[in-house]
Amino acid sequence: MKKVTIGLFGFGVVGEGIYQVLSEKQALNASIKKVVIKHPEKSRNAPAELFTTDADEVLHDDAIDLIVELIDDAEAAYTIVTNAMRNGKSVISANKKMIAEHHLELIQISRDHQVSFLYEAAVCGSVPIIRNLEEYFDNDLLISVEGIVNGSTNFILCKMLQEGEDYANALHHAQVSGFAESNPHLDVEGIDAAYKLSIIGLHAFGKQIDVGEILRKGITSLHPFDFQYAKEKDYVIKLIAKATVNEHGELDTLSVLPTFVSRSGIFGQTNNEYNGVVVGSVLADEQFFYGKGAGRFPTSSAVLSDISAYTYQYKYGYKKGLTPFRPNYDRTGRYYIACDKALAVDRALFDEIDEEFINHDRSYIIGKIRQKNLLLNGILNNPQISIISLN
């Protein structure tokens, strides 16, 4: 195990937690030499001499061999990470947007400069999904990866279903509990989950995935009527990220959608800020990974795990390849689509209709729809229409 000297970017709740753990627990054999901050006037629980506003002071310090990047700004994070690796420093990052948008480029830079680039904390908080996909499932034939990968939306949905809170109150509850950002757009619109699914897809299937190719709808269009329907059918609503392969073993479907799941099933029992991911494979059938996905300590746990892995010179192998993904939107799925009676659900969307309902103010149709029809009609972006998968 090598002694690690760290340059840290960002000293929010996660950064401060990392600093405190490394200061108190010497077993990790790692220490922080310098922390780059944006606002030097803020009071912080660490010695003043630890901080700097000059990124170059850290990036060009030969004594620092590992950069831990924990900032919100994806563009700034990209500059930090690429400069660090080009200066021969390994990197740990929690910035899923930056990683998803520049994944192959960042991998190539890390290879060119023979450094580690680790990012477990960018995906599922404390759930070690990336390293398991890399190591345990490296030679298995995977057929699907699906799950709850955003703790913020899961917390909100639980409050709406279990406690009858409306969306605004549930969101506020998540924010004051530290599980949602002051600007929750990336979480509640499913964008954060799409970034994570893109990263997972590369490690699970060896495919470079453009986030824009993921079939996506968030939770902001959900209506109290939808939750009432779920209760009547003994369902719960979860935001599920899903990647599946076809009968030829080719990845062909990627989605992030509100989904009806059984109340007694594993996703139905994954509540509040917790994440749960099921990996399906030819040999091992299904395996379930579960843990906290939002909040200070789960992210800190994943970052510390990457620091520990780096002390043993760990690198991702990407053994399944790095090839472009070509989406197939011809696949048919079963969906519940609901809206106000005055708007009306377009029956032409459906290849088959299983169930219809209309009352004085709300209507829905359940049936089979080709994914391309969801895209072509623009209803995924319509805030007045609920779309919930039953797949």
Side-chain angles (χ1 to χ4, degrees):
M1 180 189 295
K2 66 174 289 186
K3 172 69 176 177
V4 178
T5 302
I6 297 170
L8 178 64
F9 282 78
F11 203 73
V13 292
V14 176
E16 182 178 337
I18 298 298
Y19 167 73
Q20 291 174 349
V21 171
L22 293 181
S23 299
E24 296 168 4
K25 299 192 180 297
Q26 301 302 314
L28 285 174
N29 206 28
S31 62
I32 296 173
K33 182 177 181 181
K34 215 72 177 174
V35 182
V36 180
I37 54 174
K38 190 173 182 179
H39 302 288
E41 71 281 359
K42 287 185 178 180
S43 176
R44 294 177 171 87
N45 295 320
E49 59 269 20
L50 185 68
F51 300 100
T52 180
T53 58
D54 184 3
D56 288 339
E57 185 179 344
V58 171
L59 294 173
H60 297 288
D61 185 340
D62 292 338
I64 292 174
D65 50 0
L66 177 65
I67 297 297
V68 177
E69 177 276 308
L70 300 173
I71 66 174
D72 292 333
D73 186 332
E75 291 186 13
Y78 171 78
T79 300
I80 291 163
V81 168
T82 53
N83 285 342
M85 291 195 292
R86 287 177 176 132
N87 283 322
K89 302 184 189 303
S90 292
V91 170
I92 291 170
S93 175
N95 197 308
K96 74 279 296 182
K97 181 178 189 294
M98 182 267 297
I99 296 166
E101 291 180 346
H102 302 281
H103 210 165
L104 291 192
E105 178 190 1
L106 295 170
I107 292 168
Q108 190 58 54
I109 293 172
S110 70
R111 287 177 167 179
D112 289 345
H113 296 273
Q114 300 180 6
V115 296
S116 295
F117 176 47
L118 307 177
Y119 40 82
E120 190 75 65
V123 181
C124 285
S126 64
V127 183
I129 188 65
I130 296 299
R131 208 169 304 159
N132 272 288
L133 289 171
E134 276 287 310
E135 304 302 330
Y136 186 80
F137 295 103
D138 63 333
N139 293 313
D140 203 350
L141 298 175
L142 298 189
I143 56 176
S144 64
V145 179
E146 62 178 313
I148 299 164
V149 299
N150 184 277
S152 303
T153 52
N154 202 38
F155 185 92
I156 293 167
L157 289 172
C158 286
K159 291 297 177 186
M160 294 175 73
L161 184 70
Q162 297 171 1
E163 301 179 23
E165 293 188 5
D166 61 22
Y167 171 75
N169 284 332
L171 172 59
H172 177 71
H173 199 157
Q175 289 169 327
V176 299
S177 300
F179 302 137
E181 301 291 339
S182 56
N183 181 357
H185 175 73
L186 294 180
D187 291 325
V188 299
E189 295 299 343
I191 301 169
D192 175 87
Y195 288 140
K196 294 172 179 177
L197 185 61
S198 170
I199 296 168
I200 287 171
L202 190 66
H203 290 272
F205 305 105
K207 296 296 183 182
Q208 177 199 7
I209 297 162
D210 185 334
V211 172
E213 294 175 336
I214 296 173
L215 199 71
R216 174 183 59 81
K217 190 172 181 68
I219 67 171
T220 55
S221 299
L222 295 176
H223 187 277
F225 182 92
D226 307 327
F227 290 93
Q228 182 61 38
Y229 177 89
K231 285 185 177 182
E232 290 175 0
K233 301 296 185 180
D234 205 28
Y235 291 144
V236 294
I237 302 172
K238 301 291 184 179
L239 187 68
I240 300 293
K242 186 173 184 178
T244 60
V245 303
N246 59 24
E247 62 274 15
H248 305 296
E250 302 165 333
L251 179 65
D252 75 341
T253 301
L254 290 157
S255 63
V256 172
L257 296 170
T259 303
F260 287 129
V261 301
S262 168
R263 184 185 299 274
S264 60
I266 51 178
F267 292 142
Q269 295 295 307
T270 302
N271 291 319
N272 297 320
E273 72 273 23
Y274 282 80
N275 283 183
V277 179
V278 171
V279 177
S281 67
V282 173
L283 303 180
D285 199 4
E286 291 187 343
Q287 299 204 26
F288 181 54
F289 298 85
Y290 172 83
K292 286 190 174 183
R296 169 182 184 172
F297 296 112
T299 305
S300 299
S301 170
V303 172
L304 288 167
S305 177
D306 275 347
I307 292 173
S308 178
Y310 172 71
T311 64
Y312 295 96
Q313 300 297 292
Y314 179 76
K315 294 182 175 70
Y316 297 137
Y318 304 101
K319 299 167 189 174
K320 297 184 178 180
L322 302 167
T323 58
F325 169 67
R326 297 288 179 261
N328 172 19
Y329 298 122
D330 282 329
R331 175 172 284 214
T332 299
R334 192 162 174 259
Y335 300 94
Y336 158 108
I337 299 183
C339 59
D340 289 342
K341 178 183 175 181
L343 190 60
V345 179
D346 184 0
R347 299 179 88 260
L349 287 172
F350 294 82
D351 288 354
E352 297 178 16
I353 293 177
D354 302 329
E355 183 180 338
E356 291 184 76
F357 172 86
I358 186 167
N359 67 10
H360 60 281
D361 62 1
R362 197 75 176 167
S363 65
Y364 71 78
I365 299 178
I366 295 174
K368 293 181 179 179
I369 305 175
R370 292 186 184 277
Q371 291 183 344
K372 63 183 178 183
N373 287 342
L374 294 177
L375 292 167
L376 292 174
N377 285 271
I379 64 172
L380 286 169
N381 298 319
N382 191 325
Q384 296 179 291
I385 296 177
S386 300
I387 301 177
I388 306 177
S389 174
L390 286 105
N391 298 303

